[in-house]
Amino acid sequence: MPPHIAVLNGPNLNLLGEREPEVYGRATLAEVEARTRERARTLGVELEWCQTNHEGELVEAIQQLSGKADGAVINAAAFTHTSLAVRDALLAVRVPFVEVHLSNIFGREPERRRSLLADVAVGVVAGFGAESYRLGLEGLVGYLQSRHGR
Ligand code: DQA
């Protein structure tokens, strides 16, 4: 069975393309999804994609990963910096995930430099715009392969 990867997107990412393009670029979320799906296809992984503006829905989406997804690529957007509930859900399900951001959060305002998720992630990719998702997916797939090959 091909590995199953979920890509979870948090609040305001539905506005990509029109939202602060100087920070987040001009690609829409649908375009980011299409590019990521293209890479998933060549990597031979199955991709599930979702976006929500609601913290509880993101928590539920993470809870539902259990037993279903081999890994996840997560852009929790602003919840990255604020949500213990998202962190707790990730700790509960123990599905390996890569944290991704379009912008380099470590070069932005102090409140964005802190992630409540990064220390429990396999890794973090930030600052490459839409390519962060592709890079995150590649990193995750490599991690899963090396883990299974051990
Ligand atoms: C973001 C960075 C967050 O600080 C911000 O709240 C977002 C998007 C990014 O992808 O660069 O909404 O996660």
Side-chain angles (χ1 to χ4, degrees):
M1 269 216 305
H4 185 94
I5 309 284
V7 184
L8 307 182
N9 292 283
N12 299 305
L13 293 171
N14 55 314
L15 300 180
L16 279 186
E18 50 185 87
R19 167 193 186 210
E20 298 181 83
E22 64 290 353
V23 179
Y24 299 116
R26 298 219 170 260
T28 64
L29 190 61
E31 288 163 353
V32 178
E33 177 179 356
R35 283 193 222 174
T36 312
R37 282 195 183 281
E38 177 56 25
R39 186 63 182 119
R41 196 179 57 76
T42 59
L43 286 167
V45 301
E46 249 174 39
L47 213 68
E48 176 192 324
W49 186 279
C50 75
Q51 187 274 329
T52 176
N53 291 321
H54 305 279
E55 186 175 12
E57 277 181 15
L58 186 57
V59 167
E60 276 165 13
I62 293 166
Q63 288 182 5
Q64 283 159 18
L65 297 177
S66 196
K68 206 176 72 175
D70 298 295
V73 173
I74 303 186
N75 185 351
F79 295 145
T80 306
H81 318 295
T82 62
S83 180
L84 271 181
V86 169
R87 177 187 173 84
D88 285 349
L90 288 164
L91 285 171
V93 298
R94 296 174 165 278
V95 168
F97 74 97
V98 173
E99 174 179 337
V100 299
H101 300 281
L102 297 135
S103 65
N104 178 6
I105 57 169
F106 305 105
R108 298 186 61 191
E109 310 96 293
E111 57 274 22
R112 288 186 206 276
R113 289 184 201 155
R114 187 182 68 140
S115 165
L116 296 181
L117 317 178
D119 65 307
V120 291
V122 172
V124 179
V125 181
F128 296 96
E131 296 303 299
S132 291
Y133 284 73
R134 176 183 59 79
L135 294 165
L137 178 67
E138 289 172 357
L140 179 63
V141 170
Y143 170 83
L144 293 173
Q145 281 168 350
S146 67
R147 215 182 49 166
H148 285 133
R150 236 187 264 153

PDB file of all heavy atoms in Angstrom, residues 53-88:
ATOM      1  N   ASN A  53     -10.347  27.076   9.172  1.00  0.00           N
ATOM      2  CA  ASN A  53     -10.081  28.309   9.925  1.00  0.00           C
ATOM      3  C   ASN A  53     -10.348  28.119  11.415  1.00  0.00           C
ATOM      4  O   ASN A  53     -10.199  29.059  12.186  1.00  0.00           O
ATOM      5  CB  ASN A  53     -10.968  29.445   9.383  1.00  0.00           C
ATOM      6  CG  ASN A  53     -10.533  29.863   7.988  1.00  0.00           C
ATOM      7  OD1 ASN A  53      -9.345  29.917   7.692  1.00  0.00           O
ATOM      8  ND2 ASN A  53     -11.491  30.148   7.126  1.00  0.00           N
ATOM      9  N   HIS A  54     -10.739  26.898  11.805  1.00  0.00           N
ATOM     10  CA  HIS A  54     -11.199  26.675  13.180  1.00  0.00           C
ATOM     11  C   HIS A  54     -10.249  25.765  13.953  1.00  0.00           C
ATOM     12  O   HIS A  54      -9.932  24.654  13.491  1.00  0.00           O
ATOM     13  CB  HIS A  54     -12.603  26.072  13.146  1.00  0.00           C
ATOM     14  CG  HIS A  54     -13.558  26.918  12.365  1.00  0.00           C
ATOM     15  ND1 HIS A  54     -14.169  28.038  12.887  1.00  0.00           N
ATOM     16  CD2 HIS A  54     -13.956  26.839  11.074  1.00  0.00           C
ATOM     17  CE1 HIS A  54     -14.914  28.609  11.958  1.00  0.00           C
ATOM     18  NE2 HIS A  54     -14.797  27.896  10.847  1.00  0.00           N
ATOM     19  N   GLU A  55      -9.875  26.193  15.129  1.00  0.00           N
ATOM     20  CA  GLU A  55      -8.908  25.431  15.934  1.00  0.00           C
ATOM     21  C   GLU A  55      -9.434  24.028  16.254  1.00  0.00           C
ATOM     22  O   GLU A  55      -8.708  23.039  16.129  1.00  0.00           O
ATOM     23  CB  GLU A  55      -8.611  26.204  17.230  1.00  0.00           C
ATOM     24  CG  GLU A  55      -7.514  25.583  18.074  1.00  0.00           C
ATOM     25  CD  GLU A  55      -7.161  26.437  19.275  1.00  0.00           C
ATOM     26  OE1 GLU A  55      -7.905  27.403  19.588  1.00  0.00           O
ATOM     27  OE2 GLU A  55      -6.140  26.134  19.923  1.00  0.00           O
ATOM     28  N   GLY A  56     -10.715  23.954  16.670  1.00  0.00           N
ATOM     29  CA  GLY A  56     -11.294  22.655  17.028  1.00  0.00           C
ATOM     30  C   GLY A  56     -11.316  21.692  15.843  1.00  0.00           C
ATOM     31  O   GLY A  56     -11.095  20.484  16.000  1.00  0.00           O
ATOM     32  N   GLU A  57     -11.572  22.238  14.675  1.00  0.00           N
ATOM     33  CA  GLU A  57     -11.582  21.379  13.475  1.00  0.00           C
ATOM     34  C   GLU A  57     -10.178  20.870  13.153  1.00  0.00           C
ATOM     35  O   GLU A  57     -10.013  19.738  12.712  1.00  0.00           O
ATOM     36  CB  GLU A  57     -12.134  22.148  12.270  1.00  0.00           C
ATOM     37  CG  GLU A  57     -13.651  22.151  12.249  1.00  0.00           C
ATOM     38  CD  GLU A  57     -14.219  22.887  11.049  1.00  0.00           C
ATOM     39  OE1 GLU A  57     -13.480  23.161  10.075  1.00  0.00           O
ATOM     40  OE2 GLU A  57     -15.417  23.206  11.104  1.00  0.00           O
ATOM     41  N   LEU A  58      -9.192  21.724  13.397  1.00  0.00           N
ATOM     42  CA  LEU A  58      -7.815  21.281  13.158  1.00  0.00           C
ATOM     43  C   LEU A  58      -7.449  20.177  14.164  1.00  0.00           C
ATOM     44  O   LEU A  58      -6.844  19.165  13.802  1.00  0.00           O
ATOM     45  CB  LEU A  58      -6.849  22.478  13.258  1.00  0.00           C
ATOM     46  CG  LEU A  58      -5.398  22.201  12.898  1.00  0.00           C
ATOM     47  CD1 LEU A  58      -5.265  21.630  11.484  1.00  0.00           C
ATOM     48  CD2 LEU A  58      -4.549  23.468  13.036  1.00  0.00           C
ATOM     49  N   VAL A  59      -7.855  20.366  15.425  1.00  0.00           N
ATOM     50  CA  VAL A  59      -7.612  19.343  16.445  1.00  0.00           C
ATOM     51  C   VAL A  59      -8.278  18.027  16.032  1.00  0.00           C
ATOM     52  O   VAL A  59      -7.665  16.950  16.109  1.00  0.00           O
ATOM     53  CB  VAL A  59      -8.146  19.825  17.823  1.00  0.00           C
ATOM     54  CG1 VAL A  59      -8.208  18.677  18.825  1.00  0.00           C
ATOM     55  CG2 VAL A  59      -7.280  20.963  18.350  1.00  0.00           C
ATOM     56  N   GLU A  60      -9.524  18.111  15.545  1.00  0.00           N
ATOM     57  CA  GLU A  60     -10.221  16.885  15.132  1.00  0.00           C
ATOM     58  C   GLU A  60      -9.554  16.229  13.929  1.00  0.00           C
ATOM     59  O   GLU A  60      -9.428  15.002  13.872  1.00  0.00           O
ATOM     60  CB  GLU A  60     -11.702  17.177  14.847  1.00  0.00           C
ATOM     61  CG  GLU A  60     -12.491  17.134  16.132  1.00  0.00           C
ATOM     62  CD  GLU A  60     -13.870  17.753  16.034  1.00  0.00           C
ATOM     63  OE1 GLU A  60     -14.357  18.018  14.922  1.00  0.00           O
ATOM     64  OE2 GLU A  60     -14.459  17.963  17.116  1.00  0.00           O
ATOM     65  N   ALA A  61      -9.111  17.058  12.993  1.00  0.00           N
ATOM     66  CA  ALA A  61      -8.414  16.506  11.811  1.00  0.00           C
ATOM     67  C   ALA A  61      -7.143  15.779  12.261  1.00  0.00           C
ATOM     68  O   ALA A  61      -6.803  14.710  11.737  1.00  0.00           O
ATOM     69  CB  ALA A  61      -8.087  17.616  10.822  1.00  0.00           C
ATOM     70  N   ILE A  62      -6.445  16.316  13.248  1.00  0.00           N
ATOM     71  CA  ILE A  62      -5.227  15.658  13.753  1.00  0.00           C
ATOM     72  C   ILE A  62      -5.605  14.354  14.471  1.00  0.00           C
ATOM     73  O   ILE A  62      -4.991  13.312  14.262  1.00  0.00           O
ATOM     74  CB  ILE A  62      -4.438  16.608  14.683  1.00  0.00           C
ATOM     75  CG1 ILE A  62      -3.880  17.784  13.868  1.00  0.00           C
ATOM     76  CG2 ILE A  62      -3.309  15.863  15.396  1.00  0.00           C
ATOM     77  CD1 ILE A  62      -3.369  18.940  14.701  1.00  0.00           C
ATOM     78  N   GLN A  63      -6.650  14.399  15.280  1.00  0.00           N
ATOM     79  CA  GLN A  63      -7.076  13.177  15.982  1.00  0.00           C
ATOM     80  C   GLN A  63      -7.424  12.068  14.987  1.00  0.00           C
ATOM     81  O   GLN A  63      -7.166  10.897  15.232  1.00  0.00           O
ATOM     82  CB  GLN A  63      -8.289  13.477  16.869  1.00  0.00           C
ATOM     83  CG  GLN A  63      -7.944  14.312  18.093  1.00  0.00           C
ATOM     84  CD  GLN A  63      -9.158  14.557  18.978  1.00  0.00           C
ATOM     85  OE1 GLN A  63     -10.245  14.031  18.727  1.00  0.00           O
ATOM     86  NE2 GLN A  63      -8.969  15.347  20.020  1.00  0.00           N
ATOM     87  N   GLN A  64      -7.998  12.470  13.853  1.00  0.00           N
ATOM     88  CA  GLN A  64      -8.421  11.467  12.862  1.00  0.00           C
ATOM     89  C   GLN A  64      -7.256  10.870  12.070  1.00  0.00           C
ATOM     90  O   GLN A  64      -7.441   9.915  11.323  1.00  0.00           O
ATOM     91  CB  GLN A  64      -9.457  12.078  11.915  1.00  0.00           C
ATOM     92  CG  GLN A  64     -10.822  12.172  12.578  1.00  0.00           C
ATOM     93  CD  GLN A  64     -11.737  13.194  11.926  1.00  0.00           C
ATOM     94  OE1 GLN A  64     -11.495  13.607  10.797  1.00  0.00           O
ATOM     95  NE2 GLN A  64     -12.769  13.601  12.641  1.00  0.00           N
ATOM     96  N   LEU A  65      -6.055  11.431  12.265  1.00  0.00           N
ATOM     97  CA  LEU A  65      -4.889  10.863  11.570  1.00  0.00           C
ATOM     98  C   LEU A  65      -4.545   9.484  12.114  1.00  0.00           C
ATOM     99  O   LEU A  65      -3.967   8.647  11.424  1.00  0.00           O
ATOM    100  CB  LEU A  65      -3.662  11.765  11.746  1.00  0.00           C
ATOM    101  CG  LEU A  65      -3.724  13.179  11.165  1.00  0.00           C
ATOM    102  CD1 LEU A  65      -2.445  13.936  11.503  1.00  0.00           C
ATOM    103  CD2 LEU A  65      -3.946  13.132   9.665  1.00  0.00           C
ATOM    104  N   SER A  66      -4.890   9.271  13.362  1.00  0.00           N
ATOM    105  CA  SER A  66      -4.516   8.056  14.061  1.00  0.00           C
ATOM    106  C   SER A  66      -5.003   6.814  13.321  1.00  0.00           C
ATOM    107  O   SER A  66      -6.198   6.671  13.048  1.00  0.00           O
ATOM    108  CB  SER A  66      -5.123   8.108  15.471  1.00  0.00           C
ATOM    109  OG  SER A  66      -4.505   7.163  16.268  1.00  0.00           O
ATOM    110  N   GLY A  67      -4.062   5.941  12.998  1.00  0.00           N
ATOM    111  CA  GLY A  67      -4.414   4.691  12.331  1.00  0.00           C
ATOM    112  C   GLY A  67      -4.740   4.858  10.859  1.00  0.00           C
ATOM    113  O   GLY A  67      -5.071   3.904  10.167  1.00  0.00           O
ATOM    114  N   LYS A  68      -4.691   6.080  10.359  1.00  0.00           N
ATOM    115  CA  LYS A  68      -5.105   6.349   8.979  1.00  0.00           C
ATOM    116  C   LYS A  68      -3.945   6.886   8.145  1.00  0.00           C
ATOM    117  O   LYS A  68      -3.765   6.506   7.000  1.00  0.00           O
ATOM    118  CB  LYS A  68      -6.244   7.378   9.006  1.00  0.00           C
ATOM    119  CG  LYS A  68      -7.166   7.317   7.831  1.00  0.00           C
ATOM    120  CD  LYS A  68      -8.315   8.304   7.968  1.00  0.00           C
ATOM    121  CE  LYS A  68      -7.852   9.738   7.791  1.00  0.00           C
ATOM    122  NZ  LYS A  68      -8.929  10.730   7.804  1.00  0.00           N
ATOM    123  N   ALA A  69      -3.171   7.803   8.748  1.00  0.00           N
ATOM    124  CA  ALA A  69      -2.080   8.441   7.999  1.00  0.00           C
ATOM    125  C   ALA A  69      -0.733   7.933   8.507  1.00  0.00           C
ATOM    126  O   ALA A  69      -0.551   7.686   9.695  1.00  0.00           O
ATOM    127  CB  ALA A  69      -2.153   9.955   8.156  1.00  0.00           C
ATOM    128  N   ASP A  70       0.206   7.782   7.557  1.00  0.00           N
ATOM    129  CA  ASP A  70       1.574   7.415   7.947  1.00  0.00           C
ATOM    130  C   ASP A  70       2.362   8.637   8.389  1.00  0.00           C
ATOM    131  O   ASP A  70       3.364   8.517   9.091  1.00  0.00           O
ATOM    132  CB  ASP A  70       2.284   6.759   6.757  1.00  0.00           C
ATOM    133  CG  ASP A  70       1.572   5.484   6.348  1.00  0.00           C
ATOM    134  OD1 ASP A  70       1.571   4.549   7.173  1.00  0.00           O
ATOM    135  OD2 ASP A  70       0.997   5.431   5.248  1.00  0.00           O
ATOM    136  N   GLY A  71       1.930   9.795   7.945  1.00  0.00           N
ATOM    137  CA  GLY A  71       2.619  11.023   8.316  1.00  0.00           C
ATOM    138  C   GLY A  71       1.788  12.216   7.895  1.00  0.00           C
ATOM    139  O   GLY A  71       0.788  12.075   7.198  1.00  0.00           O
ATOM    140  N   ALA A  72       2.228  13.403   8.332  1.00  0.00           N
ATOM    141  CA  ALA A  72       1.478  14.615   7.985  1.00  0.00           C
ATOM    142  C   ALA A  72       2.429  15.775   7.733  1.00  0.00           C
ATOM    143  O   ALA A  72       3.522  15.838   8.297  1.00  0.00           O
ATOM    144  CB  ALA A  72       0.502  14.967   9.107  1.00  0.00           C
ATOM    145  N   VAL A  73       1.992  16.649   6.839  1.00  0.00           N
ATOM    146  CA  VAL A  73       2.657  17.930   6.602  1.00  0.00           C
ATOM    147  C   VAL A  73       1.678  18.975   7.135  1.00  0.00           C
ATOM    148  O   VAL A  73       0.515  18.998   6.728  1.00  0.00           O
ATOM    149  CB  VAL A  73       2.916  18.146   5.091  1.00  0.00           C
ATOM    150  CG1 VAL A  73       3.437  19.547   4.829  1.00  0.00           C
ATOM    151  CG2 VAL A  73       3.892  17.088   4.563  1.00  0.00           C
ATOM    152  N   ILE A  74       2.136  19.786   8.072  1.00  0.00           N
ATOM    153  CA  ILE A  74       1.191  20.678   8.747  1.00  0.00           C
ATOM    154  C   ILE A  74       1.647  22.129   8.697  1.00  0.00           C
ATOM    155  O   ILE A  74       2.758  22.456   9.135  1.00  0.00           O
ATOM    156  CB  ILE A  74       1.003  20.238  10.223  1.00  0.00           C
ATOM    157  CG1 ILE A  74       0.520  18.786  10.260  1.00  0.00           C
ATOM    158  CG2 ILE A  74       0.020  21.173  10.938  1.00  0.00           C
ATOM    159  CD1 ILE A  74       0.154  18.266  11.616  1.00  0.00           C
ATOM    160  N   ASN A  75       0.780  22.978   8.144  1.00  0.00           N
ATOM    161  CA  ASN A  75       0.951  24.414   8.295  1.00  0.00           C
ATOM    162  C   ASN A  75      -0.196  24.882   9.178  1.00  0.00           C
ATOM    163  O   ASN A  75      -1.305  25.118   8.696  1.00  0.00           O
ATOM    164  CB  ASN A  75       0.926  25.137   6.945  1.00  0.00           C
ATOM    165  CG  ASN A  75       1.234  26.627   7.103  1.00  0.00           C
ATOM    166  OD1 ASN A  75       1.300  27.134   8.227  1.00  0.00           O
ATOM    167  ND2 ASN A  75       1.410  27.321   6.000  1.00  0.00           N
ATOM    168  N   ALA A  76       0.066  24.967  10.467  1.00  0.00           N
ATOM    169  CA  ALA A  76      -0.992  25.345  11.411  1.00  0.00           C
ATOM    170  C   ALA A  76      -1.211  26.854  11.426  1.00  0.00           C
ATOM    171  O   ALA A  76      -2.032  27.356  12.207  1.00  0.00           O
ATOM    172  CB  ALA A  76      -0.667  24.822  12.809  1.00  0.00           C
ATOM    173  N   ALA A  77      -0.476  27.585  10.572  1.00  0.00           N
ATOM    174  CA  ALA A  77      -0.619  29.048  10.453  1.00  0.00           C
ATOM    175  C   ALA A  77      -0.525  29.686  11.850  1.00  0.00           C
ATOM    176  O   ALA A  77       0.351  29.312  12.633  1.00  0.00           O
ATOM    177  CB  ALA A  77      -1.888  29.383   9.692  1.00  0.00           C
ATOM    178  N   ALA A  78      -1.411  30.612  12.174  1.00  0.00           N
ATOM    179  CA  ALA A  78      -1.276  31.334  13.451  1.00  0.00           C
ATOM    180  C   ALA A  78      -1.372  30.397  14.664  1.00  0.00           C
ATOM    181  O   ALA A  78      -0.789  30.690  15.723  1.00  0.00           O
ATOM    182  CB  ALA A  78      -2.323  32.438  13.545  1.00  0.00           C
ATOM    183  N   PHE A  79      -2.068  29.260  14.514  1.00  0.00           N
ATOM    184  CA  PHE A  79      -2.166  28.330  15.656  1.00  0.00           C
ATOM    185  C   PHE A  79      -0.811  27.738  16.034  1.00  0.00           C
ATOM    186  O   PHE A  79      -0.633  27.229  17.142  1.00  0.00           O
ATOM    187  CB  PHE A  79      -3.162  27.202  15.352  1.00  0.00           C
ATOM    188  CG  PHE A  79      -4.584  27.657  15.185  1.00  0.00           C
ATOM    189  CD1 PHE A  79      -5.426  27.038  14.278  1.00  0.00           C
ATOM    190  CD2 PHE A  79      -5.093  28.708  15.941  1.00  0.00           C
ATOM    191  CE1 PHE A  79      -6.742  27.446  14.118  1.00  0.00           C
ATOM    192  CE2 PHE A  79      -6.414  29.129  15.795  1.00  0.00           C
ATOM    193  CZ  PHE A  79      -7.233  28.500  14.874  1.00  0.00           C
ATOM    194  N   THR A  80       0.140  27.797  15.098  1.00  0.00           N
ATOM    195  CA  THR A  80       1.509  27.356  15.388  1.00  0.00           C
ATOM    196  C   THR A  80       2.053  28.042  16.646  1.00  0.00           C
ATOM    197  O   THR A  80       2.766  27.448  17.448  1.00  0.00           O
ATOM    198  CB  THR A  80       2.449  27.765  14.215  1.00  0.00           C
ATOM    199  OG1 THR A  80       1.920  27.262  13.010  1.00  0.00           O
ATOM    200  CG2 THR A  80       3.872  27.305  14.433  1.00  0.00           C
ATOM    201  N   HIS A  81       1.695  29.312  16.761  1.00  0.00           N
ATOM    202  CA  HIS A  81       2.291  30.143  17.800  1.00  0.00           C
ATOM    203  C   HIS A  81       1.454  30.203  19.072  1.00  0.00           C
ATOM    204  O   HIS A  81       1.896  30.753  20.079  1.00  0.00           O
ATOM    205  CB  HIS A  81       2.470  31.578  17.268  1.00  0.00           C
ATOM    206  CG  HIS A  81       2.979  31.636  15.869  1.00  0.00           C
ATOM    207  ND1 HIS A  81       4.234  31.188  15.518  1.00  0.00           N
ATOM    208  CD2 HIS A  81       2.404  32.065  14.701  1.00  0.00           C
ATOM    209  CE1 HIS A  81       4.395  31.355  14.202  1.00  0.00           C
ATOM    210  NE2 HIS A  81       3.305  31.875  13.690  1.00  0.00           N
ATOM    211  N   THR A  82       0.234  29.685  19.005  1.00  0.00           N
ATOM    212  CA  THR A  82      -0.699  29.911  20.123  1.00  0.00           C
ATOM    213  C   THR A  82      -1.340  28.654  20.701  1.00  0.00           C
ATOM    214  O   THR A  82      -1.824  28.698  21.830  1.00  0.00           O
ATOM    215  CB  THR A  82      -1.873  30.800  19.656  1.00  0.00           C
ATOM    216  OG1 THR A  82      -2.580  30.108  18.603  1.00  0.00           O
ATOM    217  CG2 THR A  82      -1.394  32.155  19.162  1.00  0.00           C
ATOM    218  N   SER A  83      -1.376  27.563  19.916  1.00  0.00           N
ATOM    219  CA  SER A  83      -2.325  26.511  20.288  1.00  0.00           C
ATOM    220  C   SER A  83      -1.707  25.301  21.001  1.00  0.00           C
ATOM    221  O   SER A  83      -1.137  24.399  20.377  1.00  0.00           O
ATOM    222  CB  SER A  83      -3.082  26.019  19.050  1.00  0.00           C
ATOM    223  OG  SER A  83      -3.987  25.003  19.429  1.00  0.00           O
ATOM    224  N   LEU A  84      -1.911  25.271  22.306  1.00  0.00           N
ATOM    225  CA  LEU A  84      -1.529  24.076  23.062  1.00  0.00           C
ATOM    226  C   LEU A  84      -2.416  22.903  22.675  1.00  0.00           C
ATOM    227  O   LEU A  84      -1.993  21.747  22.750  1.00  0.00           O
ATOM    228  CB  LEU A  84      -1.683  24.341  24.559  1.00  0.00           C
ATOM    229  CG  LEU A  84      -0.475  24.923  25.302  1.00  0.00           C
ATOM    230  CD1 LEU A  84      -0.827  25.089  26.771  1.00  0.00           C
ATOM    231  CD2 LEU A  84       0.741  24.004  25.151  1.00  0.00           C
ATOM    232  N   ALA A  85      -3.652  23.213  22.249  1.00  0.00           N
ATOM    233  CA  ALA A  85      -4.577  22.140  21.858  1.00  0.00           C
ATOM    234  C   ALA A  85      -4.068  21.412  20.613  1.00  0.00           C
ATOM    235  O   ALA A  85      -4.148  20.178  20.533  1.00  0.00           O
ATOM    236  CB  ALA A  85      -5.970  22.720  21.604  1.00  0.00           C
ATOM    237  N   VAL A  86      -3.534  22.165  19.665  1.00  0.00           N
ATOM    238  CA  VAL A  86      -2.973  21.534  18.462  1.00  0.00           C
ATOM    239  C   VAL A  86      -1.741  20.715  18.848  1.00  0.00           C
ATOM    240  O   VAL A  86      -1.560  19.581  18.407  1.00  0.00           O
ATOM    241  CB  VAL A  86      -2.654  22.603  17.384  1.00  0.00           C
ATOM    242  CG1 VAL A  86      -1.824  22.011  16.257  1.00  0.00           C
ATOM    243  CG2 VAL A  86      -3.954  23.195  16.840  1.00  0.00           C
ATOM    244  N   ARG A  87      -0.893  21.279  19.683  1.00  0.00           N
ATOM    245  CA  ARG A  87       0.292  20.542  20.154  1.00  0.00           C
ATOM    246  C   ARG A  87      -0.122  19.243  20.851  1.00  0.00           C
ATOM    247  O   ARG A  87       0.429  18.170  20.594  1.00  0.00           O
ATOM    248  CB  ARG A  87       1.094  21.421  21.117  1.00  0.00           C
ATOM    249  CG  ARG A  87       2.298  20.709  21.720  1.00  0.00           C
ATOM    250  CD  ARG A  87       2.959  21.561  22.801  1.00  0.00           C
ATOM    251  NE  ARG A  87       4.006  20.806  23.483  1.00  0.00           N
ATOM    252  CZ  ARG A  87       5.248  20.678  23.054  1.00  0.00           C
ATOM    253  NH1 ARG A  87       5.614  21.271  21.946  1.00  0.00           N
ATOM    254  NH2 ARG A  87       6.130  19.954  23.715  1.00  0.00           N
ATOM    255  N   ASP A  88      -1.093  19.349  21.755  1.00  0.00           N
ATOM    256  CA  ASP A  88      -1.534  18.168  22.508  1.00  0.00           C
ATOM    257  C   ASP A  88      -2.095  17.090  21.587  1.00  0.00           C
ATOM    258  O   ASP A  88      -1.864  15.895  21.801  1.00  0.00           O
ATOM    259  CB  ASP A  88      -2.597  18.562  23.538  1.00  0.00           C
ATOM    260  CG  ASP A  88      -2.002  19.289  24.738  1.00  0.00           C
ATOM    261  OD1 ASP A  88      -0.761  19.305  24.875  1.00  0.00           O
ATOM    262  OD2 ASP A  88      -2.776  19.852  25.534  1.00  0.00           O
TER     263      ASP A  88
END
